[in-house]
Amino acid sequence: MTGLLVFIILVLVGVAIWQLTKIFDLTQVGAASTEVADDRDNSVNGYLMFAFVGFIYIFTIYSIYAWGHLVLGTPASEHGPDYDNLMAISLVIIFIVQTITQFLLHYFAFKYRGKQGQKALYFADNSKLEAVWTIIPVITLAGLILYGLYTWNNIMFYDNEEDVMYVEVYAKQFGWEVRYSGTDNTLGKANVRFIEGINTLGVDLADPAAQDDKVTNELHLPKGKKVVFKFRSQDVLHSAYMPHFRAQMNCVPGMITQFTYVPTVTTADMREDDNIKENVARINEIRAKKSKELEAKGESALEPYTFDYLLLCNKICGASHYNMQMKIVVETPEEFKAWLAEKPTLASQWKEANAPAETAPVVPEVMETVVDTTKVLAQNLN
């Protein structure tokens, strides 16, 4: 595969150099040009343009057939259906416009190809035509933008009096940490200056609101509960991407960003989704073939894949960007409460880690030995 890629790059570089030499020849003022297109050249280019539009349509159909199953299926958040509808409308409009305009572009290039003695029809302007191709896109784009703003406001808006849960997602090269707000439902203050030891998020442990905060390495969410995510970054620009929840937000160093959604499908229920089952079976089929190759080399086989929601980084943030992911578990409110109750608070972990070491008691026999040794040394000195 690498060899084929290198070959294609070399071919493209060669074509680019060839085109540059032709451009250089055209820039030579006064030089005699032997490359004057005739009717045959124009016909060849016209047929090639017409054939290319066929290639576009064929490749589009093949892409839908070959990779259509990779499209995400059932959304796992309350706003997911609106998001998918907006995406579907945009794709339908783009597909229709692309199909018509590409056909007209290439067909006209074929039909009105250059011919000896033929003059092109030229007119400076056409107000009606310009009005049509200006007004239609304006109305279409305005509709999409307004629908997008309406959807975005519905996603992000929440009332301060509303029953929500606050969760902080902390990004750093190359991993994630999560902080839950505890029983007071208020996240304590945090600053990178407070990062020390197990306090890897820089939580201000002197803040009363931080005393019940809990830090974990796995993101658990209760089904049906609106979650307000607060995103921070320790080092570079990251992007918290949760594809099945149709959620993404940049994590910017020095500031707090926010995203809000309601999980609607538990991990267990999503594993029973038909589309997920098909994808899991397809992945495990590939892993089984790969395992046979590994076993033939004396290496360990790959474990079967099990579906899990994932939190990914969608910004190229460094060498291990590809590995920056965290499992998300959506469960019932009762299961979530039981899981969170088992986790210790960061304040208690800090106290335990920084408790003064206990002084070991002095054993009498050891004390007597020390006294005897001291007496011997004193006698020798005298």
Side-chain angles (χ1 to χ4, degrees), residues 142-301:
L144 289 174
I145 292 170
L146 290 174
Y147 184 20
L149 287 174
Y150 171 79
T151 304
W152 177 257
N153 288 333
N154 282 344
I155 294 171
M156 299 301 292
F157 176 78
Y158 71 96
D159 195 324
N160 289 330
E161 303 298 324
E162 195 173 353
D163 183 20
V164 300
M165 182 178 75
Y166 293 94
V167 177
E168 180 183 75
V169 177
Y170 191 71
K172 58 183 177 181
Q173 294 174 314
F174 296 96
W176 303 93
E177 288 186 271
V178 179
R179 179 161 61 112
Y180 290 92
S181 50
T183 54
D184 62 357
N185 201 29
T186 303
L187 289 166
K189 298 177 183 178
N191 193 295
V192 292
R193 295 183 179 87
F194 295 121
I195 294 177
E196 181 183 356
I198 65 169
N199 188 9
T200 54
L201 275 66
V203 179
D204 183 2
L205 294 175
D207 182 5
Q211 301 308 305
D212 59 352
D213 289 359
K214 299 182 178 183
V215 177
T216 68
N217 291 316
E218 195 170 82
L219 178 56
H220 283 236
L221 301 173
K223 176 185 175 181
K225 182 82 169 183
K226 178 168 283 191
V227 183
V228 179
F229 292 94
K230 303 288 185 177
F231 298 100
R232 288 196 299 137
S233 173
Q234 178 176 301
D235 34 50
V236 300
L237 184 65
H238 299 277
S239 188
Y241 178 43
M242 295 170 267
H244 288 91
F245 302 95
R246 310 303 194 260
Q248 178 172 310
M249 180 55 65
N250 286 343
C251 307
V252 185
M255 67 180 294
I256 298 174
T257 53
Q258 180 175 300
F259 199 97
T260 304
Y261 68 76
V262 179
T264 56
V265 184
T266 65
T267 300
D269 289 340
M270 186 59 82
R271 287 173 178 170
E272 298 302 317
D273 183 83
D274 292 337
N275 183 58
I276 294 297
K277 284 183 175 180
E278 291 177 6
N279 287 337
V280 169
R282 192 177 296 109
I283 292 171
N284 281 328
E285 184 179 346
I286 296 172
R287 292 173 75 87
K289 292 180 180 178
K290 184 64 177 178
S291 293
K292 291 181 180 179
E293 297 177 5
L294 293 173
E295 289 174 343
K297 298 177 182 177
E299 301 178 16
S300 300

Side-chain angles (χ1 to χ4, degrees), residues 41-84:
D41 295 328
N42 292 330
S43 293
V44 169
N45 286 325
Y47 280 108
L48 288 175
M49 290 289 287
F50 199 52
F52 188 70
V53 73
F55 167 77
I56 292 176
Y57 292 155
I58 292 172
F59 187 74
T60 300
I61 295 171
Y62 173 78
S63 299
I64 295 173
Y65 172 76
W67 301 299
H69 64 276
L70 297 177
V71 176
L72 290 174
T74 305
S77 61
E78 194 174 79
H79 73 269
D82 290 334
Y83 181 98
D84 287 356

Side-chain angles (χ1 to χ4, degrees), residues 39 85 88 217 283 335 341 350 362:
D39 287 352
N85 287 339
N217 291 316
I283 292 171
E335 291 172 332
W350 175 263
V362 179

